[in-house]
DNA sequence: AAAGATTTATTCTATATTGTATAGATAATG
DNA sequence: CATTATCTATACAATATAGAATAAATCTTT
């Protein structure tokens, strides 16, 4: 029931996007940030599904923002990373780092 | 049918273990390497299932080794990363890096 | 100021892929 | 043939993905 205590690949990317965006993080900007930095196409459904899952697990928290003075549009649901989420991302990064250090990734194998 | 062109979280870890182990990489040593470096428990079934999937996708290749002089034991199936696998791990790492750079992960949020 | 069009954003639904554990089969040796 | 190390098969849980549908806000028109 509790799930894992580290992040899946996309969860990892999403949490990093949230940390980067600070108080400007909501579905649309998260998607943009990832597409901009990784050049990978991301469907908006994937973003929300993952954000919801992360919230269920207590790695992020959301709150609704007030309407903005811009032209139309539903009000935003902002997300931020919890302390638990920061631990999880740190664990995940440490694991990856310990597997990577000292490796020469430039080599090509056949 | 083609699947993604980057690696899932555990796939990533597995490929890094293979690169690290070079010609000593087979199920059991892969598991050991991951447990040793990440302190995370890994079931042997998870390792083989992932290795098989990676091979199906062309990211790794396997071949059976000759019997060893040790007491008993089935012969080993060795794995190595293909050029395609190296590209995939590089892409995955680059994406993660571009999401991480400049971030201060020490901070804690509430 | 109400109706409808427009914009921005989120939710829902369905499916595919990945991750995990367990049990048991296989192949080698003494 | 018993013992040992390794691998395979299978089943299930968690994560990832896409796209259509819905919602909430503003603008435009009358």
């Amino acid at each position: 029931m509790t799930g894992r205590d580290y992040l899946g690949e996309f969860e990892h990317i999403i949490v990093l996007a949230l940390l980067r965006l600070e108080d400007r993080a909501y579905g649309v900007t998260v998607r943009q940030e990832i597409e901009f930095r990784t050049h990978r196409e991301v469907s908006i459904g994937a973003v929300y599904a993952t954000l919801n899952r992360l919230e269920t697990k207590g790695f992020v928290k959301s709150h609704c923002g007030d309407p903005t003075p811009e032209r139309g549009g539903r009000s935003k649901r902002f997300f931020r990373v919890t302390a638990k989420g920061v631990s999880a991302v740190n664990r995940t990064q440490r694991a990856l780092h310990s597997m990577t250090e000292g490796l020469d990734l430039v080599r090509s194998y056949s």
Side-chain angles (χ1 to χ4, degrees), chain A residues 41-99:
Chain A
E41 276 191 22
V42 176
S43 83
I44 192 65
V47 171
Y48 284 108
T50 304
L51 285 169
N52 285 329
R53 188 163 5 94
L54 288 169
E55 183 159 39
T56 298
K57 293 194 278 192
F59 292 153
V60 311
K61 254 185 154 178
S62 70
H63 71 277
C64 283
D66 298 324
T68 51
E70 288 140 32
R71 167 89 174 82
R74 185 172 177 171
S75 61
K76 302 165 177 43
R77 182 173 158 213
F78 289 102
F79 290 84
R80 62 192 175 71
V81 183
T82 62
K84 190 178 172 192
V86 173
S87 311
V89 79
N90 275 317
R91 260 195 307 277
T92 305
Q93 304 240 122
R94 268 199 304 274
L96 239 20
H97 181 258
S98 70
M99 290 302 301

Side-chain angles (χ1 to χ4, degrees), chain A residues 94-110:
Chain A
R94 268 199 304 274
L96 239 20
H97 181 258
S98 70
M99 290 302 301
T100 307
E101 67 179 343
L103 256 192
D104 174 15
L105 279 170
V106 180
R107 278 176 310 172
S108 182
Y109 295 72
S110 61

Side-chain angles (χ1 to χ4, degrees), chain A residues 1-51:
Chain A
M1 56 124 238
T2 45
R4 311 187 292 186
D5 64 351
Y6 48 88
L7 305 171
E9 194 270 343
F10 195 52
E11 291 178 331
H12 189 179
I13 298 274
I14 291 261
V15 169
L16 292 172
L18 295 185
L19 291 174
R20 240 171 211 302
L21 289 164
E22 308 196 3
D23 61 356
R24 305 185 310 287
Y26 66 99
V28 172
T29 53
V30 167
R31 175 196 208 176
Q32 284 170 350
E33 182 77 5
I34 296 172
E35 293 196 329
F36 174 72
R37 302 197 82 88
T38 70
H39 310 287
R40 148 180 175 184
E41 276 191 22
V42 176
S43 83
I44 192 65
V47 171
Y48 284 108
T50 304
L51 285 169

